[in-house]
């Protein structure tokens, strides 16, 4: 039988009961700051970022999180430890070798929660820095330990603070139990004769944990038997556990998602703003407006198709699914890995960026999709999209800038000083009108946009290879 110590578990929760309710939600002006991005190791030989006097370079064999020009390891500074985020906490997940006899080769798993110290720059900035190990955090508020004794799993909770949300501790205890069961069930050196997991007074058979939804039944307000599972991930995007999407959003767990910029294959704006062709020939970008009844950011604009990856779903498959669902671009479903003789309109993954706000923490894989005006027809998903059209790239740059400026004026912009770069790649045709000047974009999308622009300017050839000019493929 596998057991989570009900005594130590209950004692840890009792210490946390001083705080009642849901997660900490900062004020609107602290929506979170900074986007960190990771270049795709297949596309980039070297990568440089400049911010003031900082100049850092990494080789393509390494993946790094980047925060306004500063490099930091995406997981943790200690060997064998990874980092993730939940609510207002940074989580260090490590292994501890202990025990004797038959269990001495099975490491305990430690989940240490530390409250991220606010620096006044926004909860998102603080989270990005903590994820990279360059931001201060309080000493451990909570430690969840999963250890093995013979055929038992024991999870103990030590809570040094009376302000920790007990529901968050409960959730992470269930995640730790799921992760330990998975570790044991996939280990060639461990017996697979597993019995029951007990969380407090609740018992769950290991056989039932083959569907992780059962682990979260007491916490979910929905029918967990049909709820969508997504993956809590570490700072590099590596999955840690499968969690119902409802709980991922409720407790602001770090998870995976995608963003796709959709291009027209009409070659426009052949001259850059300075006439040297920089950015020249960038096709138009599809901009759409969200429906008025969207739960999050109704009626705002976006220059990306985006979505959350399901558990076990690759970023590429998520991108293809979202393009088909939101814009009706079904050709992308038929051109998977050369399954027919059509040119693949979807690029390979270009880079990853991490967005942190008070309501969303996501490692986003970025793609480009190039339309074929003879074979592609956009058909909006009526629940998602109210309007959309192709817009010249310089207008998107200017519209995004104006939207950011309005957020800054309201003290609600979740970005950083990188957004002060006024460069526009191309000339704006006066025939395009002025309605675009009033477009308000989704703040999360603007964070991704800034990462996109920074990556594009530093990797012009890779960007050019990822899109199709005049129907000729320079990519796949």
């Amino acid at each position: 039988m596998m057991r989570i110590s009900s005594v130590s578990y209950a004692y840890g929760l009792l210490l946390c009961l001083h705080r009642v309710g849901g997660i900490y939600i900062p004020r609107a002006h602290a929506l979170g700051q900074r986007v960190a991005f990771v270049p795709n190791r297949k596309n980039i030989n070297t990568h440089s970022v400049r911010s003031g006097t900082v100049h850092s370079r990494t080789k393509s064999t390494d993946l790094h999180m980047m925060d306004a020009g500063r490099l930091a390891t995406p997981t943790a500074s200690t060997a064998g430890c990874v980092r993730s985020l939940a609510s207002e906490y940074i989580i260090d997940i490590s292994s501890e070798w202990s025990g004797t006899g038959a269990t001495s080769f099975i490491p305990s798993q430690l989940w240490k929660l530390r409250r991220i110290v606010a620096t006044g720059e926004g909860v998102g900035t603080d989270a990005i820095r903590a994820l990279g190990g360059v931001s201060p955090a309080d000493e451990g508020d909570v430690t969840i330990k999963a250890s093995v004794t013979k055929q038992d799993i024991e999870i103990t909770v030590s809570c040094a603070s009376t302000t920790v949300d007990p529901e968050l501790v409960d959730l992470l205890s269930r995640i730790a139990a799921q992760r330990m069961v998975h570790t044991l069930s996939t280990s060639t050196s461990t017996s697979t004769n597993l019995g029951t997991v007990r969380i407090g007074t609740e018992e769950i058979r290991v056989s039932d944990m083959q569907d992780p939804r059962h682990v979260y039944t007491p916490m979910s307000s929905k029918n967990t038997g049909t709820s969508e599972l997504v993956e809590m991930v570490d700072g590099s995007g590596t999955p840690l556990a499968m969690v119902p999407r409802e709980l991922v959003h409720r407790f602001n767990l770090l998870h995976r998602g995608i963003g796709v910029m959709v291009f027209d294959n009409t070659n426009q704006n052949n001259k850059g703003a300075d006439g040297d062709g920089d950015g020249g020939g960038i096709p138009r970008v599809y901009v759409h407006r969200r429906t008025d009844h969207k739960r999050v950011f109704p009626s705002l604009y976006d220059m990306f198709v985006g979505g959350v990856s399901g558990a076990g779903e690759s970023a590429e498959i998520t991108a293809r699914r979202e393009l088909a669902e939101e814009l009706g671009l079904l050709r992308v479903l038929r051109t998977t890995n050369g399954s027919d003789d059509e040119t693949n309109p979807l690029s390979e993954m270009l880079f990853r960026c991490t967005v942190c706000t008070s309501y969303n923490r996501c490692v986003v894989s970025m793609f480009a999709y190039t339309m074929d005006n003879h074979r592609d027809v956009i058909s909006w998903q009526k629940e998602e999209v109210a309007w959309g059209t192709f817009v010249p790239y310089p207008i998107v740059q200017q519209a995004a800038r104006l939207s950011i400026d309005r957020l800054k004026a309201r003290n609600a912009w979740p970005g950083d000083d990188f957004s002060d770069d006024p460069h526009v790649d191309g000339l704006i045709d006066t025939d395009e009108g002025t309605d675009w000047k009033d477009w308000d974009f989704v703040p999360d999308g603007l964070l991704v946009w800034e990462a996109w622009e920074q990556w594009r300017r530093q990797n012009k050839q890779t960007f050019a290879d990822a899109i199709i000019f005049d129907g000729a493929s320079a990519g796949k």
Side-chain angles (χ1 to χ4, degrees), residues 309-348:
S309 293
E313 183 179 52
S314 71
E316 181 181 350
I317 294 300
T318 306
R320 293 178 183 277
R321 173 174 56 79
E322 292 291 346
L323 285 165
E325 290 177 358
E326 289 193 20
L327 299 184
L329 295 173
L330 302 180
R331 184 165 64 98
V332 73
L333 301 178
R334 301 193 300 269
T335 56
T336 56
N337 298 321
S339 59
D340 58 22
D341 58 359
E342 288 191 84
T343 299
N344 191 342
L346 183 68
S347 73
E348 63 181 11

Side-chain angles (χ1 to χ4, degrees), residues 256-268:
R256 294 189 300 116
I258 61 92
V260 186
M261 184 167 284
V262 178
F263 292 94
D264 189 2
N265 67 353
T266 301
N267 194 352
Q268 295 194 356

